[in-house]
Amino acid sequence: MANITEGRGSCVAPFLELSRFPSKEGYQPGRFCAPVPSRGGSIECCLPCPVTSWIYSDNFETLPKVSNWLNVTGMVCTASLLVSFFVLPVERTSRHYLNVCFIVAVCILQLGFIIPLGAQPEQCHDAITPNDMISDLTCAFSGACLLAGGFAAISWGFLRSLSIHLQICWQVVPGRKFFWSSLLAGWGLPILFGSVALARTGVSYRFGDTCHINHDKALQDYWGPLLAFATVSTILQFATLGYCIRVYIRALFKDDGRSQSSSGLPSHNGSVKTVTAKQAYRRVQKAIAVQWRGIVVVVIIIVNVIFLAVVFVSMDNTEQAVMQNFGRAEPWLSCLVLNKGDKNMCLDKVKGLTTSEPTVMAVLILMSLNGIWTLLFLGRASMIPGWIDLIRTRFARKHDFVSVDARRLSTNARPYEMMTSPPHSEYAPKTPEAVVTSPSIDGDTLAVLSSHQTPKEYSFTRDAKYVSPTMSFSTPRPPSSGRYHGREWDPINTYARPWSPNTGKGGMI
């Protein structure tokens, strides 16, 4: 930055001579210069940069920093909300793509205030010229995030208002076409109007460390479309609210009419109308119960952005009026000269020349609270137990199931573990043996079984006498001493026709 003493030239304090700063970089229209008559002719004298340090009190310099740190808090809130949406199940978060995209838009808006905290940019290119997006890269990024994020928040607020209006007032459930159209419009319009505003209007340091849109062509390139979408969104919100009030009043009067009816049962037409009014009221009540959080946060952010737009448009108009008629600023400029640059002695004369300091403070603070409002209204209490369950399932120690008998009967629990690798030969399962037939019973054994004197090796716990059922035609027979390897039944006893393996004939007689 050039030396202020050398740059003063023929101008009196605190002004600097314009001819001493020939550089064409920075935002040239951001200079506050006025012609001053002198003996050698009229000379251009300018206020030192930044101009806000001369028109606002000393406390104003700390306000943008407070606003930026509030946006850091808001970013933590919105980022935690997005992480919860992506990690937790939908029954814990009730997430929806309109809410997710709206929160992302708020995050982009907050980045415009957070970026200067890390970069610590220089607001002024020289002693009288503020930096713009060409002379300072931080200004370009912060200004682009501010423009795109603000327009995206309004766009997604408009789409959310439209979706709720269609569902409540027209009973139309937005489908896949609305989804893709919303994505195209919700992100395409901010990119389009943000790019146009950067190319035609640009951004520069107007107050604080965040770059804001310049006043030249700002109304038609950016503020006009943004206010149009915000106005339509507000109209949709109030139309939906009016419809809800109408349905409520209609259902209320229908209930009163039915209760005051002389007969016990209403007429057929009145009954149908009463049911229809009740159904509409219940449907609207359910929709409002689900959507009221989103409606409130959208209204709050739309009001904040509209307030910001109105303040900036008013500021631009006031600055243009002062630049075109320096006679309005003459008492204030004369006061600065007489008091040798003591701005505190002249703050009362700057009123009416620019936006008041409380108004600017209100705009910055309200814009910084958007992230906090988003968490309060779009966040749900069910997310807390959802995170607790997630942490428990991820970090809890997993135990393999081992039966109590296994622990009691074995000193080594390894045979009862589930192992993916082949088991050790010591713990390998037993290979099943070949199939064997029951041993044949010889004559001695049969004699023993036939007698009631059973030896110890063939002793049983109890003897049961077989009782033949009434309709049974079979009787128990002891096994024969010689196993018959062919037929095991006698066809004569069963009255069946003898079967010959040569002829293959047989059957019932």
Side-chain angles (χ1 to χ4, degrees):
M1 186 178 293
N3 193 309
I4 296 180
T5 304
E6 295 178 356
R8 179 157 292 134
S10 302
C11 299
V12 295
F15 299 95
L16 304 176
E17 188 175 349
L18 177 61
S19 59
R20 298 297 180 95
F21 303 94
S23 175
K24 300 299 181 182
E25 296 182 0
Y27 184 58
Q28 303 292 321
R31 296 171 173 175
F32 191 87
C33 303
V36 177
S38 63
R39 296 180 180 180
S42 179
I43 58 174
E44 292 282 340
C45 294
C46 307
L47 275 176
C49 178
V51 179
T52 54
S53 62
W54 296 95
I55 60 180
Y56 295 122
S57 64
D58 296 333
N59 297 328
F60 184 82
E61 296 297 328
T62 60
L63 178 63
K65 298 184 181 298
V66 174
S67 173
N68 293 346
W69 283 108
L70 283 176
N71 278 279
V72 173
T73 305
M75 178 63 76
V76 173
C77 296
T78 51
S80 62
L81 200 57
L82 288 177
V83 173
S84 299
F85 282 163
F86 284 105
V87 173
L88 299 181
V90 65
E91 59 269 12
R92 294 289 189 182
T93 60
S94 299
R95 61 177 178 265
H96 193 269
Y97 72 94
L98 291 175
N99 291 340
V100 174
C101 293
F102 181 78
I103 296 173
V104 173
V106 175
C107 290
I108 297 174
L109 177 63
Q110 292 170 334
L111 281 177
F113 296 95
I114 296 176
I115 290 176
L117 286 177
Q120 296 293 326
E122 189 68 38
Q123 297 185 32
C124 301
H125 180 69
D126 53 34
I128 61 173
T129 310
N131 272 316
D132 60 359
M133 63 180 186
I134 299 177
S135 59
D136 187 76
L137 189 61
T138 303
C139 177
F141 278 104
S142 63
C145 291
L146 200 62
L147 296 180
F151 209 104
I154 293 297
S155 300
W156 284 106
F158 164 75
L159 292 172
R160 204 180 192 287
S161 301
L162 179 61
S163 175
I164 296 174
H165 182 77
L166 291 175
Q167 294 180 54
I168 294 179
C169 299
W170 302 98
Q171 302 183 24
V172 176
V173 179
R176 200 164 190 82
K177 292 183 179 179
F178 186 85
F179 169 74
W180 291 111
S181 301
S182 299
L183 290 180
L184 180 62
W187 297 118
L189 292 176
I191 294 175
L192 175 63
F193 285 101
S195 301
V196 171
L198 288 175
R200 289 171 51 87
T201 306
V203 292
S204 62
Y205 291 105
R206 303 185 63 176
F207 53 84
D209 294 336
T210 301
C211 277
H212 300 272
I213 189 171
N214 299 323
H215 61 270
D216 186 27
K217 300 179 182 179
L219 184 60
Q220 57 267 35
D221 292 341
Y222 186 78
W223 296 121
L226 184 139
L227 289 174
F229 277 98
T231 302
V232 175
S233 180
T234 305
I235 293 174
L236 288 176
Q237 293 281 6
F238 280 104
T240 306
L241 181 61
Y243 177 80
C244 296
I245 296 174
R246 174 178 173 272
V247 169
Y248 173 75
I249 294 176
R250 183 182 177 186
L252 187 63
F253 277 101
K254 290 297 180 181
D255 289 341
D256 292 343
R258 187 179 65 175
S259 61
Q260 296 175 3
S261 178
S262 58
S263 61
L265 296 175
S267 62
H268 177 71
N269 294 333
S271 177
V272 172
K273 291 181 180 180
T274 302
V275 172
T276 303
K278 275 191 172 183
Q279 289 177 348
Y281 172 69
R282 290 171 182 171
R283 176 175 54 83
V284 171
Q285 187 180 20
K286 290 179 181 179
I288 294 297
V290 174
Q291 303 287 349
W292 72 269
R293 296 179 180 87
I295 294 174
V296 172
V297 71
V298 166
V299 169
I300 289 176
I301 294 182
I302 287 177
V303 170
N304 290 344
V305 175
I306 291 177
F307 186 35
L308 174 68
V310 171
V311 169
F312 267 86
V313 171
S314 175
M315 184 183 299
D316 293 340
N317 295 335
T318 304
E319 290 180 1
Q320 289 296 316
V322 172
M323 297 297 292
Q324 294 174 3
N325 184 13
F326 279 101
R328 297 179 56 185
E330 185 175 350
W332 173 56
L333 297 176
S334 300
C335 179
L336 290 176
V337 172
L338 294 175
N339 290 279
K340 297 181 180 180
D342 187 0
K343 68 173 183 179
N344 295 321
M345 302 295 297
C346 308
L347 291 178
D348 57 336
K349 295 180 174 56
V350 79
K351 296 180 180 179
L353 301 179
T354 185
T355 305
S356 63
E357 182 175 343
T359 303
V360 178
M361 292 174 64
V363 169
L364 294 178
I365 295 299
L366 288 177
M367 292 297 294
S368 304
L369 297 177
N370 289 335
I372 300 176
W373 293 126
T374 302
L375 178 62
L376 290 179
F377 287 102
L378 294 184
R380 293 180 177 270
S382 58
M383 293 181 181
I384 298 176
W387 276 107
I388 294 175
D389 294 341
L390 180 65
I391 294 174
R392 284 179 178 176
T393 54
R394 290 293 179 89
F395 298 100
R397 184 179 178 183
K398 298 181 180 180
H399 299 280
D400 291 335
F401 173 77
V402 180
S403 66
V404 178
D405 294 336
R407 295 186 180 275
R408 179 173 55 85
L409 300 176
S410 177
T411 57
N412 189 1
R414 183 174 179 180
Y416 303 94
E417 295 179 356
M418 298 178 63
M419 297 176 291
T420 57
S421 59
H424 192 269
S425 60
E426 181 183 354
Y427 307 108
K430 181 181 179 180
T431 305
E433 298 177 355
V435 178
V436 295
T437 58
S438 59
S440 61
I441 304 177
D442 53 6
D444 298 336
T445 306
L446 180 60
V448 172
L449 291 175
S450 300
S451 64
H452 294 283
Q453 297 178 358
T454 305
K456 293 183 179 180
E457 57 267 24
Y458 296 104
S459 62
F460 300 95
T461 57
R462 58 189 294 265
D463 295 334
K465 184 179 181 180
Y466 178 79
V467 180
S468 177
T470 305
M471 300 300 296
S472 176
F473 300 97
S474 63
T475 57
R477 299 184 182 91
S480 60
S481 58
R483 174 71 62 179
Y484 183 72
H485 297 286
R487 294 191 301 263
E488 295 186 358
W489 53 274
D490 189 0
I492 298 176
N493 294 334
T494 58
Y495 301 98
R497 182 180 301 172
W499 180 84
S500 175
N502 297 326
T503 60
K505 296 182 179 181
M508 296 297 294
I509 299 176

